Amino acid sequence: MSSRMVAVRAGLQRGWIEFRQSTTNGQDLWSVMFFPIISLVVMFLLRHNTVPGTGFSLGSQSIPGILGMNVVLNGMVALALSLTMDREDGTLLRAKATPNGMIGYLTGKVLSRTGTAVVGLLIPLIPALFLFDGLELGGVSSWVTLVWVLALGLVALLPIGAVLGSVFNTAQGMGFVTLPIMMLMGVSGVFYPISAFPEWLQWLAQVFPLYWLGLGLRSAMLPETLAATEVGESWRHLETIGVLGLWAIAGLLLAPVVLRRMARRESGSAVAVRRQKAMQRTM
């Protein structure tokens, strides 16, 4: 077995251990569930409101977008935060010092964040099926659509998280990214159909993968008649594959370059400086 394969195998084992720890730790589970729980409560209170032009519940229509938002938070954002924290405490430097350690490190991180994102989608989905009327996941085609949209969405989002985690030196620096991401969620159809937004805002939302992830999840979970409320009055599966695929290709090409550059800059002195700054912030 080659040294790279050994590193990948070690990374898979590490990823499984991190995933198991995160799903058995109360604090980690709460961080995964906080936003979807709050969002489900809000949408449940709004369940008697309807999507414009239909009699369908606005709360039910928003559930797929909320689940997509959770994938973004537990996949892309969590991976970025994990990378910055590991740079700050020296974990990344130790991985760099190990032969093929970066390969194993990234394999483990991607596996653990993928597993957490999937769990973060499935856990709120179960109560949502009982609390909200109109959700349709009884057919095989619905589950097939759910799986391929989720898989393609993760491939598109995780490289972005790796790039963000490489650009910012500290977890506090990621705070500058969190606000724009939250604003993007607001205009990406998570809580309200973007067809009701101004045209320029619709175009802006369609540039980013969150809208297409939410659209794909809506196509899997909502009745076919709800497609009329979307831009283009259809679920646009081909466009979903195209846009998410372009983001995935761009991310997979860019992330290795940025990660290699970040790893070359890692040193004991850089870690010491970050630790000193962290101690000053704590004080």
Side-chain angles (χ1 to χ4, degrees), residues 21-34:
Q21 289 175 340
S22 65
T23 54
T24 55
N25 182 284
Q27 184 176 353
D28 289 344
L29 280 176
W30 173 243
S31 66
V32 169
M33 298 307 303
F34 177 75

Side-chain angles (χ1 to χ4, degrees), residues 71-236:
V71 172
V72 172
L73 293 175
N74 293 316
M76 183 185 78
V77 176
L79 178 59
L81 284 171
S82 181
L83 282 171
T84 55
M85 292 173 64
D86 286 349
R87 291 176 71 187
E88 197 168 43
D89 66 11
T91 300
L92 201 62
L93 182 61
R94 291 191 293 273
K96 175 188 173 183
T98 305
N100 292 313
M102 286 297 295
I103 296 176
Y105 171 83
L106 291 172
T107 300
K109 286 298 178 185
V110 169
L111 176 63
S112 63
R113 295 325 313 177
T114 298
T116 303
V118 172
V119 169
L121 181 144
L122 293 177
I123 291 179
L125 175 60
I126 295 172
L129 292 174
F130 294 96
L131 293 174
F132 295 90
D133 297 328
L135 298 179
E136 297 184 356
L137 274 175
V140 174
S141 61
S142 296
W143 285 103
V144 170
T145 302
L146 182 69
V147 169
W148 74 254
V149 169
L150 179 58
L152 185 56
L154 285 169
V155 175
L157 291 168
L158 289 176
I160 301 174
V163 171
L164 292 175
S166 301
V167 170
F168 293 93
N169 290 327
T170 64
Q172 283 72 19
M174 276 296 299
F176 293 103
V177 179
T178 304
L179 181 58
I181 290 175
M182 298 304 292
M183 295 174 62
L184 184 62
M185 289 178 181
V187 301
S188 293
V190 172
F191 300 106
Y192 204 79
I194 71 166
S195 56
F197 295 165
E199 186 173 353
W200 68 269
L201 203 54
Q202 295 180 28
W203 282 106
L204 177 64
Q206 293 175 77
V207 170
F208 297 97
L210 177 56
Y211 167 75
W212 297 97
L213 175 61
L215 178 65
L217 293 176
R218 285 193 292 276
S219 73
M221 300 175 62
L222 299 180
E224 186 64 31
T225 55
L226 265 292
T229 65
E230 300 289 345
V231 175
E233 299 185 355
S234 73
W235 295 126
R236 299 194 291 172

Side-chain angles (χ1 to χ4, degrees), residues 1-11 99-100 103-104 107 260:
M1 184 180 297
S2 67
S3 59
R4 286 179 176 269
M5 288 304 300
V6 171
V8 170
R9 183 175 179 179
N100 292 313
I103 296 176
T107 300
R260 283 195 297 268

